Amino acid sequence: MIAALDSESAVAWFCTYTPLEILDAAGLVPVRRYGDAGSLESADTLLHTAICPYVRACLAEGIQGEGPHQAVFVNSCDGMRRLYDAWRDRFPDDLVYLVDLPRNTGDGAERLLAEEFRHLARALGEMTGHEVTAVDLREAALAREERRLSYLRACEGLCGEKRLRLAMAFHSRLYTDMPPCGEPAGTAGGVPVLLSGNLLNPAGLVASLDRAGARVVWIDLCNGDRSFATPTLPRGESLDELLGSLARAYLDRHPCARMADAERRYRTLEETVAAVGAKGVVYASLKFCDAYLYDFPRVQERLERAGIPVLRLESDYADGHVGQMLTRVEAFLEMLE
Amino acid sequence: MDLVKTIKEHFSERLEPSTFHSRFFWRTAESLARSPLNRPQWKADRVSLSYFLAITRDAYLGRGPVVWCNLFVPSELVLGLGCIPFYPEMATAVVAAAGMGPRFIDRAAEAGFSPDACSFHRCAIGLALEGFMPEPSALLAVNYPCDSAPLSFAFCGELYGRPQVTVDIPLPGRPGGQALLAQQLEETAGLLAECSGFGGAEVEKGLAKALERSNQALRYLREVEEMRKRDDCTLYGVDAMGGISVLFASMGSQAGADFYRLLAKELRTRGCAGGDSIRLMWMHIKPWFAQGIFSTLAKGGARLVCEEYTHATWEAMDPHDPYNSLAAKLGNHFLVGPVERRATHLASLAEEYRVDGAIHYNHWGCRQSCGGAALVKQALQEKGVPTLILDGDCVDEREYQEGQISTRLEAFLESLR
Ligand code: SF4
Ligand code: SF4
């Protein structure tokens, strides 16, 4: 049973490593938040201006929005951890939880994450009074897998802004309340590219890629295709086994640049470029995100070695400056043609 | 840091990567360090200076396997396994003190590293790209205090073609967290033992010895802390901050224990700084290239009596249970996890050291500290400790506005009178 979106069961989440299946199984309704990119300044009193604008936009939205402010954060980066701190300070009476996430993959990291998931399941059970059982978790995981497959069907032929908006809707709305997909955009023309980075504003930089004549066929972003690329369906009988298997599945996802196994990330990127027929990569990321700041020089080297052209763009999330980028994007696309 | 300037003057003409690989350079540096002209304020500083000169020399001359470490890597583990610890974040502080930060930061920028990242790490990357760093056998990072270290070490690991390991400290308060961390430390020890060729018995003996020495250092450090709480303590924060290196990079060595023993002794016999100055706490790290900020404090009648990173944050360890002991040391650090732990720790330091005010130095690009500064300030102010947040940079002097900082400092001191 899914509760209504505006009910007391709604819980905000922010990072694609959030184990949504456990939240579902605890009777919560996870809703992804994208923040208010237009009023970052209202976060200034609690967060420094050199913190990732997604983090600041989420706090700004939280401060302005009506409660309840239940939220589950992931310890994915320094910025997210500080968002959790600010949120907890601001909304001390709400359910606010920080899920740990190792950087490593492999046996040790799996054990660590499985322990963390067990801890989360117990804690949510205590907080909500709805104990997480193996049956609930299996059911929730099946529903999540169904939703993932349905996204992959729905996004076929969609590109750029439309595709990103659809992915975001699949994360932030009830499954029963999906927006109509609209006409596949740009399938006829445009230069096929893969967009890689952290998280972007569909109305800003991504829309401007469409305008410049790019056909963004795969969105390797945290709010794009990345989390739909691999299943997280756990195996096992007992709750313990299911949580362990879920931990493995989350660590096996297409990796974000904050994970230690960069080699796997680069390989996945190269393979996806070939699989979707992209002619180049637009690497765009939000400012002040260390994971992607340190990643770029390595990615660039790797892709260029593989003969894949790459263009670097940066976003402040509000993207008032995208007009200035157009010429660079157009020149890049021309070079690809 | 006067020694740094003297060395720079001696070698500025031939400052090339090869300089640091020459025995002549290190002989000269060591004799300059010993010379009566180089008089550190505290006898203990001689001990730390010669320790750091010796291990850095050994690292450059390849006298053992070099392991790059970020601030939180326990030096006991590296020393105990017969490797030479090298802390790039500390090396860049020295480079910054010599006024050479910008050169290497610009080199990292050429390679595509954004100016929005921490300049300690950009400078380290620039140094590595220019060939100025000692080649590592392995690179070891811990996921705290910040994201920067695992990320920049990953780049450097690739650059040198050497294994890079990141240890994941679990969030505090998780059942089984310490055991999971201890296991990672044991696996890491395996990698270090491969580098040094240590066998099982040597590993056990090496770690036990390192932990014993660390315990010795801890006992003296606690004495130092007690003495620093006195009104008349003559050790000022600006000098004490050099002790960050000692606290993080020499635990497990005899020098670490000797340093605190000597410091405690000297503090016992010295004294008389006058008890009427404004007592301040410094949070996060200082700008290594600038002295002006500290002259402003002195002129305004203020003394730094306590700093965030120079205190013991762990309990004595069991030399026969090294991995669990080190896991407890690491995992309980106040920077691990939510900022609430840091704020509580700082509030209790402020109380113990009876500070009149506190300064949080926001190093550009340090998300972990700047990101929590507002909440730390809130916690301190709730305890009645006025707090000033200053924006600046610790390594890149171009990002440091001396005039603006002095004006804000003067106004702050005025408000404390
Ligand atoms: S975009 Fe980067 S800094 Fe922002 S929340 Fe994601 S990983 Fe953290
Ligand atoms: S200053 Fe901050 S970001 Fe830089 S190395 Fe230190 S803790 Fe990390």
Side-chain angles (χ1 to χ4, degrees):
Chain A
M1 245 291 281
I2 289 181
L5 191 58
D6 58 354
S7 78
E8 302 234 320
S9 310
V11 60
W13 63 278
F14 307 87
C15 165
T16 47
Y17 284 92
T18 315
L20 301 175
E21 296 81 350
I22 303 178
L23 275 53
D24 293 335
L28 295 164
V29 182
V31 182
R32 185 159 197 185
R33 294 285 177 215
Y34 298 104
D36 180 358
S39 61
L40 297 186
E41 319 73 50
S42 46
D44 285 0
T45 48
L46 283 170
L47 287 173
H48 193 268
T49 49
I51 299 280
C52 146
Y54 171 53
V55 158
R56 296 176 64 235
C58 288
L59 183 64
E61 189 186 51
I63 291 172
Q64 290 160 10
E66 299 282 306
H69 290 97
Q70 305 192 112
V72 171
F73 297 87
V74 175
N75 191 13
S76 43
C77 62
D78 291 338
M80 266 297 159
R81 194 165 60 255
R82 297 292 89 108
L83 175 61
Y84 159 81
D85 293 325
W87 201 280
R88 229 173 81 112
D89 179 75
R90 196 66 202 215
F91 310 113
D93 301 325
D94 287 299
L95 180 164
V96 178
Y97 192 94
L98 180 66
V99 185
D100 209 358
L101 178 68
R103 281 171 192 281
N104 293 298
T105 43
D107 292 349
E110 258 173 54
R111 277 197 297 278
L112 197 156
L113 192 59
E115 276 303 320
E116 187 61 17
F117 283 2
R118 284 177 199 123
H119 195 258
L120 172 70
R122 269 195 305 273
L124 289 183
E126 277 162 26
M127 289 184 213
T128 60
H130 181 132
E131 193 194 336
V132 175
T133 64
V135 175
D136 290 337
L137 185 60
R138 204 172 304 114
E139 214 174 89
L142 279 170
R144 282 281 157 196
E145 177 61 0
E146 198 184 301
R147 186 191 277 230
R148 183 183 81 84
L149 295 173
S150 133
Y151 168 76
L152 291 176
R153 282 192 297 274
C155 73
E156 246 174 68
L158 283 185
C159 301
E161 183 184 353
K162 282 198 171 163
R163 188 178 178 103
L164 185 56
R165 283 194 187 279
L166 186 76
M168 290 166 72
F170 266 75
H171 272 159
S172 61
R173 295 210 196 173
L174 286 185
Y175 183 43
T176 45
D177 178 30
M178 280 303 127
C181 291
E183 284 301 296
T187 35
V191 185
V193 294
L194 182 147
L195 176 60
S196 184
N198 42 23
L199 178 141
L200 294 171
N201 178 353
L205 192 146
V206 182
S208 80
L209 292 178
D210 291 350
R211 278 200 299 280
R215 180 150 54 90
V216 180
V217 287
W218 184 261
I219 305 182
D220 174 44
L221 296 179
C222 170
N223 56 333
D225 294 318
R226 189 147 70 215
S227 63
F228 296 101
T230 53
T232 46
L233 204 56
R235 290 177 202 290
E237 289 304 316
S238 66
L239 181 64
D240 219 43
E241 285 167 356
L242 288 167
L243 289 168
S245 163
L246 191 68
R248 191 170 322 123
Y250 268 86
L251 291 176
D252 277 350
R253 291 190 133 180
H254 276 197
C256 163
R258 59 86 64 199
M259 300 302 280
D261 190 355
E263 182 52 36
R264 200 178 130 232
R265 182 173 140 64
Y266 302 148
R267 228 180 22 244
T268 307
L269 202 56
E270 280 176 30
E271 284 165 9
T272 316
V273 166
V276 300
K279 288 190 171 172
V281 168
V282 175
Y283 189 98
S285 61
L286 292 175
K287 277 174 87 68
F288 306 124
C289 168
D290 287 319
Y292 288 81
L293 290 183
Y294 285 98
D295 181 53
F296 176 67
R298 295 170 75 193
V299 159
Q300 183 181 35
E301 217 245 337
R302 261 308 273 266
L303 292 175
E304 284 177 354
R305 227 189 308 144
I308 303 167
V310 50
L311 172 72
R312 168 84 165 121
L313 299 175
E314 201 173 51
S315 160
D316 63 5
Y317 206 31
D319 288 348
H321 67 302
V322 287
Q324 298 155 23
M325 283 179 188
L326 272 182
T327 340
R328 283 179 64 212
V329 177
E330 281 162 0
F332 179 68
L333 297 175
E334 234 166 71
M335 189 259 293
L336 295 184
E337 265 173 327
Chain B
M1 286 296 175
D2 281 345
L3 177 67
V4 173
K5 296 220 168 77
T6 320
I7 293 176
K8 194 182 156 198
E9 275 157 25
H10 265 73
F11 288 91
S12 59
E13 300 284 294
R14 21 184 180 146
L15 208 55
E16 295 165 8
S18 59
T19 313
F20 294 91
H21 296 283
S22 86
R23 288 205 172 81
F24 171 69
F25 170 81
W26 292 104
R27 267 203 303 275
T28 313
E30 282 167 321
S31 73
L32 286 170
R34 276 194 304 269
S35 128
L37 294 173
N38 173 51
R39 278 231 173 126
Q41 251 214 331
W42 298 84
K43 284 186 191 128
D45 286 340
R46 270 205 195 283
V47 174
S48 60
L49 187 61
S50 69
Y51 167 75
F52 282 111
L53 271 175
I55 59 166
T56 316
R57 173 202 64 206
D58 290 351
Y60 278 99
L61 298 183
R63 290 182 176 166
V66 179
V67 177
W68 283 26
C69 309
N70 77 323
L71 200 65
F72 268 29
V73 171
S75 46
E76 294 93 335
L77 185 70
V78 182
L79 290 164
L81 268 297
C83 299
I84 304 169
F86 179 81
Y87 288 77
E89 290 151 350
M90 293 174 196
T92 53
V94 177
V95 171
M100 295 173 73
R103 168 176 166 189
F104 298 105
I105 286 170
D106 289 349
R107 178 66 185 88
E110 277 167 31
F113 289 94
S114 157
D116 289 335
C118 164
S119 53
F120 278 101
H121 284 278
R122 279 184 286 138
C123 183
I125 285 173
L127 284 159
L129 287 167
E130 290 268 292
F132 274 99
M133 289 296 216
E135 279 209 21
S137 295
L139 303 91
L140 182 50
V142 175
N143 61 337
Y144 289 96
C146 64
D147 293 338
S148 311
L151 295 165
S152 82
F153 278 25
F155 172 81
C156 292
E158 205 168 272
L159 184 73
Y160 292 107
R162 292 295 153 84
Q164 190 268 321
V165 171
T166 298
V167 171
D168 282 310
I169 306 180
L171 281 174
R174 299 302 199 243
Q178 188 173 307
L180 286 163
L181 179 54
Q183 206 161 11
Q184 292 179 68
L185 294 176
E186 192 166 353
E187 283 163 18
T188 308
L191 171 74
L192 301 185
E194 264 174 44
C195 294
S196 61
F198 267 28
E202 281 165 303
V203 169
E204 217 171 285
K205 222 169 116 195
L207 282 174
K209 196 163 161 195
L211 264 59
E212 273 159 21
R213 286 170 169 167
S214 178
N215 286 344
Q216 249 180 50
L218 179 66
R219 275 200 298 279
Y220 293 120
L221 169 57
R222 297 256 191 238
E223 264 184 60
V224 168
E225 287 178 347
E226 283 315 307
M227 268 176 288
R228 287 199 66 199
K229 289 177 190 163
R230 300 186 315 196
D231 277 352
D232 64 351
C233 178
T234 40
L235 177 60
Y236 293 172
V238 58
D239 299 323
M241 244 181 285
I244 296 176
S245 321
V246 181
L247 187 70
F248 285 97
S250 72
M251 291 302 95
S253 70
Q254 191 53 50
D258 289 347
F259 174 87
Y260 289 113
R261 183 175 51 78
L262 282 173
L263 190 56
K265 190 170 160 201
E266 217 172 342
L267 280 172
R268 229 176 284 128
T269 49
R270 283 207 211 181
C272 302
D276 58 350
S277 39
I278 300 171
R279 298 170 66 84
L280 294 179
M281 172 164 75
W282 187 275
M283 294 175 287
H284 202 49
I285 305 172
K286 68 174 183 177
W288 294 100
F289 46 78
Q291 287 308 317
I293 192 169
F294 302 107
S295 322
T296 308
L297 287 177
K299 262 192 249 143
R303 285 195 298 142
L304 297 181
V305 296
C306 126
E307 320 72 36
E308 180 170 2
Y309 300 137
T310 49
H311 298 271
T313 53
W314 71 98
E315 300 301 325
M317 294 181 278
D318 178 356
H320 302 294
D321 188 9
Y323 304 116
N324 269 310
S325 299
L326 289 170
K329 179 185 179 189
L330 256 185
N332 289 328
H333 196 280
F334 62 88
L335 286 185
V336 173
V339 79
E340 205 183 331
R341 305 180 74 245
R342 178 179 181 220
T344 310
H345 175 79
L346 289 167
S348 68
L349 275 187
E351 200 177 331
E352 283 169 33
Y353 285 79
R354 293 168 289 110
V355 304
D356 303 306
I359 297 172
H360 191 290
Y361 189 70
N362 270 352
H363 167 65
W364 175 257
C366 178
R367 316 305 158 206
Q368 67 88 6
S369 71
C370 301
L375 290 175
V376 165
K377 178 175 176 171
Q378 193 174 295
L380 287 169
Q381 290 193 323
E382 274 164 19
K383 295 263 176 197
V385 182
T387 302
L388 173 70
I389 298 182
L390 288 175
D391 279 319
D393 199 291
C394 294
V395 180
D396 193 344
E397 54 207 66
R398 298 165 298 188
E399 302 300 327
Y400 171 83
Q401 316 295 334
E402 175 95 40
Q404 217 177 68
I405 285 186
S406 294
T407 313
R408 293 199 56 211
L409 261 186
E410 278 158 6
F412 181 61
L413 295 179
E414 199 49 54
S415 74
L416 296 180
R417 271 201 193 94

